[in-house]
Amino acid sequence: MRVLLFGNSGSGKSTLARRLAREHGLVHLDLDSVVWEPDQIAVQRDAQAILASLEAFLHAHDRWVIEGCYGELVRAASGHCTELVFLNPGLETCLAHNRQRPWEPHKYASKEAQDAMLENLQAWVSDYYERKDPWSYHAHRQIFDAFSGRKRECLDRFTDANHWSPGSA
């Protein structure tokens, strides 16, 4: 089982990925951990290093769940997944989830540092449906629509994603 979850920030990717990892014994990769420089806020690693880290993970593990918003990495990993899941619960849900987000110590030195970035995050999330970058709805929709394997779009996180298991209809 190799599940690839993607969508906007706040769509429920991390929550669902942790649940799937726990319930199915999958290795979990949050793409944030390969994209950003450790112990730095919003400092992206070199593109070749990012791709090399993803490829190393894919080759090292047979059973995994990968989650993130990075269209170029989702596209690269999609050839290795057994199921692609697009979490798309809508803008208001994503914004609400971001406001309720617990401290993420793997990303921020403190809850205060994380909260200081919330306004920037919310502005970026709000532009999801208008942007045309690789981390946008436009890019995510193209990836999902072009994927020919098993796939699912979850429009309502609570009814779709919480009661879903890989391989189910």
Side-chain angles (χ1 to χ4, degrees):
M1 177 183 308
R2 296 178 306 278
V3 181
L4 180 55
L5 307 172
F6 68 106
N8 199 0
S9 177
S11 63
K13 301 177 304 292
S14 296
T15 300
L16 181 56
R18 284 190 300 269
R19 189 194 81 173
L20 294 175
R22 182 180 64 251
E23 290 177 1
H24 299 280
L26 306 175
V27 179
H28 174 198
L29 176 63
D30 176 346
L31 290 174
D32 285 343
S33 70
V34 300
V35 169
W36 304 109
E37 286 289 348
D39 303 319
Q40 298 184 47
I41 297 173
V43 177
Q44 193 169 342
R45 292 175 63 218
D46 174 75
Q48 289 179 331
I50 293 168
L51 193 54
S53 293
L54 175 60
E55 289 174 357
F57 178 88
L58 292 170
H59 294 317
H61 304 286
D62 292 328
R63 296 174 42 82
W64 47 256
V65 58
I66 295 175
E67 51 106 347
C69 66
Y70 311 100
E72 65 279 23
L73 299 179
V74 170
R75 194 178 306 276
S78 68
H80 302 272
C81 73
T82 57
E83 189 154 2
L84 184 75
V85 182
F86 180 16
L87 296 178
N88 185 20
L91 180 58
E92 293 308 314
T93 297
C94 292
L95 293 171
H97 288 167
N98 286 337
R99 285 190 296 275
Q100 300 165 358
R101 187 179 297 245
W103 176 41
E104 299 174 295
H106 62 290
K107 297 179 188 177
Y108 297 96
S110 67
K111 176 74 166 117
E112 294 74 24
Q114 179 174 308
D115 289 346
M117 293 297 292
L118 181 60
E119 186 176 324
N120 291 334
L121 175 63
Q122 295 292 66
W124 184 78
V125 167
S126 293
D127 289 341
Y128 177 70
Y129 292 99
E130 284 79 40
R131 291 191 323 262
K132 301 290 185 197
D133 64 44
W135 307 349
S136 68
Y137 172 80
H138 178 76
H140 290 169
R141 173 56 53 199
Q142 285 181 336
I143 291 166
F144 184 80
D145 290 346
F147 187 74
S148 61
R150 179 183 288 275
K151 62 184 175 181
R152 177 181 187 95
E153 182 173 5
C154 295
L155 298 171
D156 181 338
R157 177 180 173 251
F158 293 103
T159 58
D160 290 347
N162 282 349
H163 301 291
W164 166 84
S165 291
S168 68

